[in-house]
Amino acid sequence: MWFANFFVAGSMTTLLPFLSLYIETLGDFSSSYVQTWSGWTFGVTFITAFIFSPIWGRIGDKYGRKKILIMSATGLGLSVLLMGYATSVWGLFLLRFFMGIFTGFIPMSQAFIATQTPKKIAGSVLGTLQTGSITGTLMGPLIGGSIADVVGYAATFKWTSVTVFLSAIIVLVGVKEIKLNVSDETDQKSYSSKEVIMHILQKPVLLVVMLLSALVQIAHFSIQPILSLYVAEIHGTASIALFSGMAFSAAGLGNLLMTKRWGRLGDRVGYMKVLIPLLFMAGIVYFPGAFVTSIWQLIIIRFLLGVSIGGIIPLRIAYIRQVAPLSMQGEVLGYNTSLRFLGNMIGPALGGMLAGYFGISTVFFVTSGLLLAGGLIMLSVWYKYEHVEKHTQPLPSHRN
């Protein structure tokens, strides 16, 4: 699964640095039009992903996840291939919309590994798995930027689709799904969708953890589709695809260096005790991005952001693995993925509109505020419903 995640993440991020630049080649558009449609085209994928993620999660709970992973990689590869033949912004927009049906490969692989991993080491294992997607994310923009400068944007889409198809082959040949034997009655029970939703709503910390999936993605993805435009603004247009790739990859490098460490620390001291500080750290790091005057300053900030963001995804999934019964975890993680995709959908659109109306620097201010707000909400809910309750439980009585 590590290699499959590597190829899928690398393939997807190969395209991100020049998506807005690709739109510019499809017509004679104003800067505001390109910024706005970069946001919408980037985010539309997550409309269908938002709808389909819980459905795939429930199917995975019932029938297994390997087949779903193969279907996802095949659908992604076909979508990317066809994007290389797009001749209009609307054509690219519709292909990105269709792509959303199959976009949940990496979240589904995380659910697959989470449900086959003991709870006490879930953070470390998920952190290790995430290094696969992070390594791909790190290398993808650099490779994509270099290829795009040589062969053009359309050809890069076509070549990228080959590595996505390769991920489907890796899962088909190299991954075995094991049916787990569980003794806990709550893990064996079959739950209806209503019961799954009620389980989430009755656990305030779990609910906020899942809602944070949307908020963090809104914050993180608000700058993604217009980052290459920001690079051009502060650095110029020389080798723009390559320098955009470096800015994207800097966050991936910080992520790669720390994600496993954050997961292991969460296993040892508690997931919330690591997750909450990381939210505050990410909010603080994002703020100075609005004031950079060189590409290297931006790269340093992106690296520090990657360090802080690195543990948030595996820690959230490990926490869900800890509090959700095994037989509903796929669906719970499906809802979590839907909320992530909702954030992916809102974030680029919000970032594109903010940049179009108020300038790109505004996006950094809003993003920083969202992350700090998320940290405050998570801290207050966790302290009230888990930390205080845990430390105020009456001691057991001792009889003589």
Side-chain angles (χ1 to χ4, degrees):
M1 286 308 307
W2 191 96
F3 285 102
N5 276 8
F6 168 77
F7 284 120
V8 168
S11 300
M12 295 301 98
T13 55
T14 292
L15 311 174
L16 294 183
F18 59 80
L19 185 61
S20 57
L21 304 175
Y22 187 43
I23 289 175
E24 287 183 329
T25 68
L26 299 176
D28 185 15
F29 308 123
S30 67
S31 296
S32 177
Y33 181 94
V34 172
Q35 290 173 357
T36 300
W37 274 98
S38 294
W40 284 112
T41 303
F42 184 88
V44 70
T45 299
F46 307 112
I47 295 176
T48 42
F50 170 75
I51 296 169
F52 276 87
S53 290
I55 298 173
W56 291 132
R58 187 165 185 82
I59 294 172
D61 282 333
K62 190 171 183 180
Y63 299 107
R65 298 176 177 84
K66 179 175 177 178
K67 293 179 181 178
I68 297 173
L69 288 169
I70 295 170
M71 290 171 56
S72 177
T74 304
L76 281 174
L78 181 61
S79 301
V80 173
L81 176 64
L82 294 176
M83 286 178 202
Y85 296 95
T87 57
S88 68
V89 176
W90 270 108
L92 183 62
F93 180 87
L94 291 174
L95 284 170
R96 293 277 302 176
F97 181 87
F98 173 76
M99 183 180 177
I101 298 174
F102 306 100
T103 297
F105 181 92
I106 291 176
M108 179 58 71
S109 71
Q110 292 167 341
F112 174 75
I113 296 299
T115 55
Q116 302 206 356
T117 300
K119 294 180 181 180
K120 63 181 180 180
I121 60 170
S124 178
V125 172
L126 288 165
T128 301
L129 177 67
Q130 191 175 334
T131 62
S133 58
I134 293 168
T135 305
T137 301
L138 174 65
M139 297 179 64
L142 291 173
I143 295 172
S146 301
I147 294 174
D149 282 336
V150 175
V151 303
Y153 303 131
T156 305
F157 278 95
K158 298 169 188 176
W159 283 107
T160 298
S161 67
V162 175
T163 57
V164 186
F165 288 128
L166 180 60
S167 297
I169 296 172
I170 289 174
V171 175
L172 176 64
V173 176
V175 174
K176 181 179 180 181
E177 187 166 11
I178 301 172
K179 184 70 174 179
L180 296 179
N181 294 319
V182 293
S183 56
D184 193 327
E185 183 179 342
T186 60
D187 286 334
Q188 293 177 332
K189 179 183 175 182
S190 179
Y191 295 88
S192 67
S193 292
K194 181 179 179 181
E195 288 176 318
V196 173
I197 293 172
M198 290 306 298
H199 179 85
I200 296 169
L201 295 176
Q202 290 168 1
K203 293 184 176 295
V205 177
L206 174 60
L207 177 61
V208 173
V209 166
M210 295 178 67
L211 292 175
L212 276 177
S213 297
L215 188 145
V216 169
Q217 296 304 103
I218 291 171
H220 188 47
F221 276 79
S222 61
I223 195 65
Q224 298 284 62
I226 55 174
L227 186 61
S228 57
L229 301 176
Y230 194 44
V231 171
E233 184 178 300
I234 63 177
H235 180 73
T237 57
S239 301
I240 180 62
L242 177 60
F243 281 103
S244 296
M246 292 175 64
F248 271 89
S249 295
L253 178 60
N255 211 314
L256 175 65
L257 293 176
M258 291 303 298
T259 183
K260 185 176 179 179
R261 292 178 173 86
W262 293 134
R264 187 183 296 123
L265 181 62
D267 288 333
R268 189 167 67 247
V269 304
Y271 302 123
M272 289 298 104
K273 292 181 181 178
V274 182
L275 176 60
I276 293 169
L278 289 180
L279 287 167
F280 284 112
M281 180 179 174
I284 293 169
V285 165
Y286 232 123
F287 188 81
F291 304 102
V292 298
T293 56
S294 75
I295 182 63
W296 301 113
Q297 292 172 347
L298 180 63
I299 287 173
I300 291 171
I301 287 174
R302 294 280 299 171
F303 172 79
L304 294 175
L305 176 67
V307 169
S308 55
I309 290 289
I312 292 178
I313 292 176
L315 289 170
R316 285 200 316 252
I317 297 175
Y319 179 82
I320 293 171
R321 170 72 178 93
Q322 189 178 59
V323 300
L326 184 62
S327 57
M328 70 162 66
Q329 281 178 17
E331 188 168 355
V332 173
L333 289 167
Y335 287 118
N336 182 70
T337 301
S338 276
L339 289 167
R340 285 181 61 189
F341 285 143
L342 178 64
N344 291 353
M345 179 175 60
I346 296 173
L350 176 64
M353 288 188 290
L354 287 173
Y357 286 106
F358 304 106
I360 295 177
S361 296
T362 308
V363 181
F364 288 91
F365 297 139
V366 173
T367 293
S368 176
L370 287 174
L371 290 167
L372 292 173
L376 287 171
I377 294 169
M378 188 74 262
L379 175 61
S380 62
V381 174
W382 169 76
Y383 186 81
K384 179 179 179 180
Y385 289 100
E386 285 193 359
H387 180 75
V388 172
E389 288 183 3
K390 180 179 178 181
H391 290 83
T392 56
Q393 290 178 350
L395 296 173
S397 59
H398 297 280
R399 296 182 179 180
N400 295 327

